[in-house]
Amino acid sequence: MNLSWLIALILSATILFILIYKLENSKKFRHLDSSWHQRLIHPVQGSFWSIIEFLNEPKLIAFWDTLLAAVLLFNGEIKKAIWVLVTLAITDIIGIMLKHTIKRKRPSENTRQSYSFPSGHVLSITSLSLIIWQIYGSVFGVSLFFVLFSLWCLVVFSRIILKAHYPSDIVGATALSIFCFLLTMPFIA
């Protein structure tokens, strides 16, 4: 690949490793993260954010990812179809391993029994958005970018507004997703 790919790969890995290190070793960082979380959350009215959360469940994103791979396979793009599945699989496996290694508890306002870092919702939607942009960005252009970015923002905001994650969970999920995406890019290049 090229120099910009390598720089982005190293940058995303560096951000991820710094976050993991700070979460494991810095009370000051965890306190700062918690205070940002408290400033960002607001009382939720209605079910809009819950609908966004449901539509972007990691298992549902895996379904959309599989459907995309099936469409690509049907169109004879076998290499891309495999790449789509491998990219999401690697991202999810590493994300699950991190959750169970770091074992960060969710914000106290949240009653879920799973771990917080990295956000599975953000991890999945970031991966799927990057994959869709890679495959269809040249066809649909800037309008596709704005749709994908808007959807990504809605998921990010839902994680904070629904008190499910700290800001570092979202940054970590985004960095991990970008890293895994870039790591698998040579497969389709």
Side-chain angles (χ1 to χ4, degrees):
M1 301 301 298
N2 59 28
L3 183 61
S4 61
W5 170 85
L6 183 61
I7 290 170
L9 184 72
I10 292 169
L11 184 61
S12 61
T14 302
I15 290 168
L16 183 61
F17 287 123
I18 288 171
L19 277 173
I20 292 169
Y21 177 79
K22 290 291 190 180
L23 287 173
E24 293 286 314
N25 299 303
S26 174
K27 284 184 178 182
K28 188 176 184 178
F29 178 81
R30 288 190 306 270
H31 177 72
L32 180 64
D33 198 28
S34 182
S35 68
W36 285 344
H37 168 75
Q38 291 299 322
R39 289 184 188 144
L40 292 171
I41 61 173
H42 299 285
V44 178
Q45 299 289 327
S47 58
F48 175 75
W49 295 109
S50 296
I51 292 169
I52 295 297
E53 177 183 42
F54 171 76
L55 292 175
N56 291 283
E57 282 288 334
K59 290 174 186 165
L60 193 53
I61 296 293
F63 168 77
W64 294 121
D65 190 65
T66 305
L67 186 62
L68 174 60
V71 167
L72 291 168
L73 197 57
F74 182 75
N75 289 333
E77 298 182 79
I78 297 167
K79 194 173 181 180
K80 281 184 183 177
I82 293 169
W83 171 73
V84 165
L85 295 173
V86 167
T87 301
L88 190 66
I90 289 172
T91 306
D92 284 347
I93 288 168
I94 295 173
I96 290 167
M97 287 172 46
L98 279 176
K99 273 187 186 278
H100 292 283
T101 301
I102 295 172
K103 297 182 179 180
R104 184 180 197 191
K105 293 188 186 313
R106 289 187 181 267
S108 59
E109 305 88 5
N110 193 280
T111 58
R112 290 179 181 222
Q113 298 302 313
S114 59
Y115 297 118
S116 185
F117 183 89
S119 166
H121 284 78
V122 174
L123 193 67
S124 296
I125 196 63
T126 305
S127 287
L128 186 59
S129 295
L130 289 169
I131 289 167
I132 290 172
W133 176 251
Q134 178 64 34
I135 295 170
Y136 298 110
S138 62
V139 176
F140 294 103
V142 177
S143 57
L144 177 62
F145 174 80
F146 283 117
V147 167
L148 294 171
F149 184 71
S150 297
L151 180 59
W152 181 83
C153 286
L154 285 172
V155 173
V156 166
F157 293 141
S158 79
R159 307 325 298 141
I160 297 291
I161 290 170
L162 294 174
K163 306 171 189 171
H165 289 284
Y166 296 100
S168 62
D169 300 338
I170 291 162
V171 173
T174 303
L176 175 59
S177 189
I178 291 169
F179 175 77
C180 292
F181 171 79
L182 291 169
L183 199 61
T184 63
M185 279 297 297
F187 182 75
I188 64 161

